[in-house]
Amino acid sequence: MTADPARGVHRTTPHPRPHSHSPSPTAAPPWILMYHSVADPRDDPYGITVAADRLDHQLSWLRRRGLTGVGVAALLRAHAAGHARGLVGLTFDDGYADFLHEALPTLRRHACTATVFVLPGRPGGSNEWDPLGPRRPLLTESAVRQIAEAGMEIGSHGLVHRDLTQVSDDELRLETRRSRRLIERVTGEAPSGFCYPYGAIDQRVATAVRDAGYSYGCAIDPGSLTGAYALPRTHISQADRAAHLWAKRLRPRRGRLTPPEPEPVGVPRSARVGGGR
């Protein structure tokens, strides 16, 4: 999801409808970790890929500290009820096919669940939005159904991975509302959560997500927009071992990524950085 996580953030605050599991406007947002692909991380110009054994190490670190990973909807319900102690949100963006055979068994081994944000407009496709590659297959509808049946939360990442701050109002309605209907057709349940491609969010986009019927929206570093429809998350990479995780636990809102060095020539800024893509 994200090249410039702060891009498009305005100094206005959305006014979401109240939901029973939305965080209090005055409460600090819960800690939510952001993953993408679980595969060989060596060919990864965006820094979004974590090897299965590193994911296992990271989840072990959480469990040793009394933390259990859960999907965002479950986390928010617990947070609203005052029972979120010991819980951390786990999210996987883009709906990569490797989640089924790499991430899911590891999550099960640690008794964790997660939210998987998928692109229902690209079932069985690939990450064509990444100009630098490599091409990675995305989940098919059948695989999304299997993941939902395994107890994972399925959320929307829009239809095809577009910067929603740059689309028309009609296109924005399609990306938010149609993606929700398509996911409901696949899983039998309308998704509660939406994740903004590239982390790009503004007042108009947050309002569209709310009006489409979602209960929450995941961003990266939304600044003054932080709230139920702009939840901040912490990017997790292959480099994150115990010391890094501990530092991010103490400063969970500082998960913003910086462009890789050197920056690729001729690639738009909105395409450069990994986290939250």
Side-chain angles (χ1 to χ4, degrees):
M1 254 171 100
T2 286
D4 187 356
R7 182 167 52 88
V9 175
H10 292 186
R11 292 187 178 275
T12 54
T13 301
H15 301 284
R17 300 187 187 107
H19 290 274
S20 61
H21 59 274
S22 296
S24 165
T26 59
W31 194 29
I32 303 174
L33 308 186
M34 177 177 66
Y35 289 91
H36 290 76
S37 176
V38 180
D40 186 340
R42 287 175 293 183
D43 186 8
D44 179 15
Y46 298 100
I48 63 169
T49 306
V50 172
D53 60 350
R54 183 56 50 84
L55 174 63
D56 182 75
H57 171 84
Q58 292 164 348
L59 295 180
S60 294
W61 183 89
L62 292 174
R63 297 298 272 155
R64 287 196 302 271
R65 279 149 188 80
L67 296 172
T68 301
V70 296
V72 177
L75 179 67
L76 295 182
R77 287 193 296 270
H79 196 260
H83 303 312
R85 184 179 178 85
L87 298 180
V88 58
L90 299 179
T91 61
F92 290 79
D93 292 7
D94 300 340
Y96 291 104
D98 51 54
F99 182 89
L100 182 61
H101 299 295
E102 300 294 340
L104 182 57
T106 307
L107 289 164
R108 281 175 157 170
R109 187 158 57 250
H110 292 279
C112 293
T113 57
T115 301
V116 184
F117 291 111
V118 302
L119 296 159
R122 296 184 185 270
S126 68
N127 56 331
E128 296 175 9
W129 61 88
D130 283 337
L132 301 182
R135 290 289 160 258
R136 300 186 188 277
L138 303 179
L139 293 164
T140 63
E141 290 185 352
S142 175
V144 170
R145 195 174 299 113
Q146 289 181 62
I147 290 168
E149 291 171 351
M152 304 298 119
E153 179 190 1
I154 303 299
S156 173
H157 202 25
L159 280 174
V160 293
H161 205 287
R162 302 176 69 188
D163 179 344
L164 300 183
T165 65
Q166 302 299 313
V167 303
S168 69
D169 289 347
D170 287 342
E171 291 171 318
L172 181 56
R173 280 190 289 271
L174 277 176
E175 289 283 339
T176 54
R177 300 185 183 196
R178 186 159 184 262
S179 66
R180 193 165 190 257
R181 290 196 300 269
L182 289 175
I183 290 172
E184 182 177 18
R185 179 177 62 79
V186 172
T187 66
E189 181 176 354
S192 296
F194 190 91
C195 179
Y196 304 99
Y198 302 105
I201 179 176
D202 57 19
Q203 175 68 62
R204 181 181 70 110
V205 173
T207 299
V209 168
R210 179 200 68 186
D211 291 346
Y214 297 94
S215 298
Y216 71 85
C218 278
I220 301 171
D221 190 359
S224 62
L225 282 176
T226 296
Y229 290 92
L231 294 167
R233 294 181 296 164
T234 299
H235 170 66
I236 302 298
S237 74
Q238 175 71 11
D240 287 323
R241 304 192 186 208
H244 290 152
L245 290 169
W246 183 246
K248 290 182 175 183
R249 177 69 182 97
L250 296 177
R251 298 182 297 171
R253 292 194 191 183
R254 300 187 183 182
R256 183 184 302 185
L257 299 185
T258 54
E261 297 293 343
E263 292 186 356
V265 177
V267 177
R269 178 171 175 76
S270 63
R272 288 181 190 159
V273 183
R277 298 176 50 265

